[in-house]
Amino acid sequence: GDCLSPESQSCLQFQQDGFLVLEGFLSAEECVAMQQRIGEIVAEMDVPLHCRTEFSTQEEEQLRAQGSTDYFLSSGDKIRFFFEKGVFDEKGNFLVPPEKSVNKIGHALHAHDPVFKSITHSPKVQTLARSLGLQMPVVVQSMYIFKQPHFGGEVSPHQDASFLYTEPLGRVLGIWIAVEDATLENGCLWFIPGSHTSGVSRRMVRGPVGSVPGTSFLGSEPARDNSLFVPTPVQRGTLVLIHGEVVHKSKQNLSDHSRQAYTFHLMEASGTTWSPENWLQPTAELPFPPLYT
């Protein structure tokens, strides 16, 4: 949309780079509230069946894979848990403490949890969206990302619109909030400035019902010059705006400390078609909620 903000300098910066760092967006107290709530959610979590299934035959492995696929594909309107590799033994018992095992929680904290709902729809987020010219923004998904110490895996270079495709493009906006400091050591975000202007190079689409792994890619990520990436280490409470087509990545967390973040995606719903091939689809139980309340 058009820059409607008094801070039009930063709005223009966002249009130029495809990302924008807004320091001190949330208070330390708001970050602590999210961390505490996540601690409660993890303490109460049930390990999903596909993680607990002991499998020996190929047939059992196929069933487990199908269960894993279904669990992911039906997570758009739920609070669900996705784990790091190697945290369970073959019987589904934890090899590490449960709170150290979770890779992320998705994809509807924003709808079902009061703490995350209030942050997502907070007056300052609504004001930010208005300043960016969003007319009918809806929340399409949310994730709490742990980036665990030592094995918090790297996220390879990608564009969010590969997974959240719209027609026309340019209608999806990522809001990434550092719940803890993000440093060069613990896996901060890296961007290619200005990489948001030439469309998407690949798309993840839903396969036929019942297929495993349930999604496939059209196209592929091109080889990109590593030197084009710029790191964005930020302090807790910083909000990073991420254009749906800007190329970004994060490295493995090699530090002793997690790098927790809360992220959610907005779509300008006015005049936009959400691709029916996206893995994530609105449901009768949870149509994409309007951001503005």
Side-chain angles (χ1 to χ4, degrees):
D2 296 313
C3 292
L4 302 178
S5 56
E7 316 88 358
S8 57
Q9 192 54 50
S10 50
C11 193
L12 290 167
Q13 188 80 51
F14 175 65
Q15 290 186 339
Q16 180 186 312
D17 291 341
F19 68 98
L20 182 67
V21 175
L22 300 171
E23 290 174 4
F25 190 85
L26 289 193
S27 67
E29 292 72 30
E30 288 168 308
C31 292
V32 168
M34 284 195 279
Q35 279 188 287
Q36 286 182 329
R37 182 62 193 127
I38 285 295
E40 292 166 10
I41 290 171
V42 170
E44 293 163 14
M45 101 185 140
D46 285 321
V47 176
L49 187 60
H50 66 267
C51 298
R52 288 185 276 131
T53 311
E54 207 179 338
F55 54 88
S56 43
T57 69
Q58 239 182 333
E59 191 180 6
E60 283 173 325
E61 165 55 16
Q62 271 177 324
L63 280 171
R64 193 202 60 82
Q66 182 65 64
S68 176
T69 294
D70 294 345
Y71 183 82
F72 165 69
L73 287 177
S74 59
S75 67
D77 58 355
K78 299 179 190 72
I79 295 175
R80 289 203 160 161
F81 302 91
F82 301 90
F83 296 90
E84 296 289 355
K85 286 186 178 68
V87 299
F88 296 108
D89 66 16
E90 68 284 350
K91 293 192 170 66
N93 301 308
F94 282 109
L95 295 167
V96 300
E99 66 277 5
K100 299 264 190 234
S101 69
V102 187
N103 171 290
K104 67 182 175 203
I105 297 176
H107 288 89
L109 281 165
H110 64 278
H112 297 310
D113 185 83
V115 172
F116 289 91
K117 190 175 193 172
S118 70
I119 297 240
T120 305
H121 293 273
S122 61
K124 44 193 170 188
V125 169
Q126 296 193 39
T127 300
L128 174 61
R130 287 204 166 87
S131 76
L132 293 165
L134 295 177
Q135 275 149 27
M136 281 179 51
V138 295
V139 186
V140 297
Q141 69 155 13
S142 57
M143 292 184 290
Y144 195 91
I145 302 167
F146 289 80
K147 201 80 163 176
Q148 300 283 4
H150 306 300
F151 53 70
E154 70 172 322
V155 177
S156 57
H158 67 281
Q159 301 167 291
D160 291 345
S162 290
F163 307 91
L164 311 171
Y165 191 81
T166 60
E167 286 175 5
L169 280 169
R171 301 302 177 89
V172 167
L173 179 66
I175 306 275
W176 186 97
I177 297 169
V179 179
E180 300 179 294
D181 294 352
T183 65
L184 291 170
E185 295 71 40
N186 75 6
C188 70
L189 297 172
W190 295 67
F191 292 94
I192 300 182
S195 57
H196 60 301
T197 56
S198 29
V200 295
S201 46
R202 66 173 180 156
R203 285 180 58 190
M204 186 170 96
V205 296
R206 224 181 232 248
V209 174
S211 62
V212 173
T215 58
S216 60
F217 283 100
L218 310 174
S220 59
E221 293 292 341
R224 296 190 177 97
D225 183 348
N226 242 342
S227 68
L228 297 173
F229 284 93
V230 174
T232 59
V234 296
Q235 289 189 309
R236 172 167 85 170
T238 300
L239 183 149
V240 184
L241 277 178
I242 305 177
H243 187 286
E245 285 117 80
V246 74
V247 178
H248 57 291
K249 67 175 184 179
S250 66
K251 299 183 179 179
Q252 201 176 1
N253 181 356
L254 299 173
S255 80
D256 297 332
H257 206 284
S258 58
R259 190 228 65 188
Q260 295 181 12
Y262 174 55
T263 176
F264 58 93
H265 283 86
L266 302 176
M267 173 180 70
E268 170 59 81
S270 179
T272 309
T273 304
W274 179 256
S275 172
E277 295 183 298
N278 287 339
W279 79 264
L280 178 90
Q281 294 296 326
T283 60
E285 295 78 38
L286 184 64
F288 294 151
L291 177 70
Y292 299 149
T293 51

